[in-house]
């Protein structure tokens, strides 16, 4: 699950990495329960940008984009999206901590972007599901970018989470849980010990899903003017 927003009456923008394997995606507008079909009409993975199109009778209200050169370090931002699989629109406050091309920032997922991709480094709580969501520049009340990724400790924790998930789903794990009780070795009930460890790992797994660590990045709205000038 990810986020998107209208930039014209029936066209939306989102992050390319969430739709790059699809021609049609399911789209649920805020406040509505129906799932709409949206066509992926344009995609540039090297800038992590994609455009979606919905039927003319499903038009939304386009958001106003910020013009070039209006951002400053320390400017207040509002990040909007549907994090962690939530169906509730969520708003997080943050500020700009750096501005520049992708080549100037740390490695990780940003390595997949072209070096000249314009980025905004954001100090804010950003979780999975915010990708593609709009970033509002509070001083001008316009969209200055969209969320592309989060870098930092969360990347390492995601690998830990995947390892725990694999362990919990392993056939031997399930066997210990159902048949291990009562197996005593040197006075230790091995089945109970394994069950306790697995239960603790499940609690850790739930917590890893909601940790607010790392630095957020948004692709700047400058990318739209580049598209308009056909420089990509």
């Amino acid at each position: 699950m990810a986020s998107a927003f209208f930039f014209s009456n029936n066209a939306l923008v989102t992050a390319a990495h969430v739709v790059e394997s699809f021609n049609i995606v399911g789209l649920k507008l805020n406040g509505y329960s129906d799932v709409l079909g949206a066509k992926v009409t344009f995609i540039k993975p090297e800038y992590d940008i994609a455009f979606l199109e919905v039927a003319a009778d499903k038009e939304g209200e386009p958001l106003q984009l910020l013009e070039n050169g209006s951002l400053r370090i320390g400017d207040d931002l509002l990040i909007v999206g549907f994090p962690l699989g939530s169906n509730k629109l969520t708003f997080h406050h943050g500020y700009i901590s750096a501005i520049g091309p992708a080549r100037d920032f740390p490695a990780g997922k940003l390595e997949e972007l072209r070096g000249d991709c314009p980025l905004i480094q954001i100090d804010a709580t950003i979780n999975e599901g915010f990708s593609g969501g709009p970033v509002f520049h509070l001083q001008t009340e316009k969209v200055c970018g969209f969320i592309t990724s989060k870098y930092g400790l969360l990347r390492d924790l995601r690998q830990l989470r995947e390892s725990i998930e694999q362990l919990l789903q392993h056939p031997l794990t399930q066997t210990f849980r159902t048949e291990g009780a009562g197996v005593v070795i040197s006075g230790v009930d091995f089945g109970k010990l394994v069950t306790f460890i697995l239960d603790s790992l499940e609690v850790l797994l739930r917590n890893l899903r909601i940790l607010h660590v790392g630095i957020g990045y948004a692709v700047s709205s400058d990318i739209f003017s580049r598209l308009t000038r056909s420089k990509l």
Side-chain angles (χ1 to χ4, degrees):
M1 183 176 290
S3 304
F5 63 94
F6 282 96
F7 69 95
S8 69
N9 289 338
N10 69 326
L12 302 93
V13 65
T14 189
H17 72 265
V18 300
V19 299
E20 58 186 346
S21 300
F22 306 96
N23 294 318
I24 302 291
V25 296
L27 181 70
K28 185 182 290 186
L29 300 181
N30 184 46
Y32 295 86
S33 59
D34 294 340
V35 177
L36 308 177
K39 183 179 180 182
V40 180
T41 58
F42 176 88
I43 188 164
K44 278 279 186 181
E46 62 268 37
Y47 292 98
D48 201 25
I49 187 171
F51 296 159
L52 312 176
E53 185 177 286
V54 296
D57 61 341
K58 304 297 182 183
E59 293 182 351
E61 183 176 349
L63 300 180
Q64 192 170 4
L65 300 176
L66 187 64
E67 298 295 332
N68 296 344
S70 301
L71 300 180
R72 299 290 183 272
I73 304 300
D75 284 357
D76 287 303
L77 304 174
L78 190 67
I79 295 88
V80 183
F82 298 88
L84 302 171
S86 172
N87 289 321
K88 186 176 181 62
L89 188 62
T90 303
F91 301 83
H92 287 174
H93 176 261
Y95 63 87
I96 298 175
S97 54
I99 304 170
R103 67 173 69 93
D104 292 347
F105 292 101
K109 188 181 181 304
L110 299 178
E111 287 182 331
E112 301 172 13
L113 301 177
R114 261 181 55 165
D116 64 342
C117 181
L119 292 181
I120 304 168
Q121 182 175 285
I122 302 171
D123 188 309
T125 299
I126 297 173
N127 287 309
E128 295 178 1
F130 268 121
S131 292
V135 178
F136 284 91
H137 184 249
L138 290 183
Q139 283 87 336
T140 60
E141 299 182 353
K142 297 179 181 179
V143 174
C144 65
F146 62 90
I147 295 298
T148 178
S149 70
K150 186 168 188 173
Y151 177 81
L153 180 59
L154 188 64
R155 188 164 60 100
D156 300 319
L157 291 179
R158 186 179 296 114
Q159 295 174 352
L160 173 60
R161 189 184 77 194
E162 292 172 353
S163 298
I164 294 175
E165 288 176 337
Q166 291 174 7
L167 174 62
L168 293 174
Q169 294 169 6
H170 195 281
L172 285 178
T173 300
Q174 304 304 319
T175 300
F176 274 121
R177 278 193 149 164
T178 57
E179 303 176 11
V183 177
V184 179
I185 302 176
S186 298
V188 177
D189 189 322
F190 190 66
K192 289 183 179 179
L193 176 61
V194 171
T195 298
F196 171 77
I197 293 173
L198 294 176
D199 289 345
S200 299
L201 287 174
E202 285 189 332
V203 173
L204 175 60
L205 184 62
R206 287 195 296 270
N207 290 332
L208 287 178
R209 294 181 185 279
I210 59 174
L211 279 177
H212 307 320
V213 290
I215 299 172
Y217 291 93
V219 175
S220 169
S221 55
D222 288 354
I223 199 69
F224 291 93
S225 60
R226 294 193 190 184
L227 286 170
T228 301
R229 295 194 302 268
S230 299
K231 285 192 174 182
L232 297 183

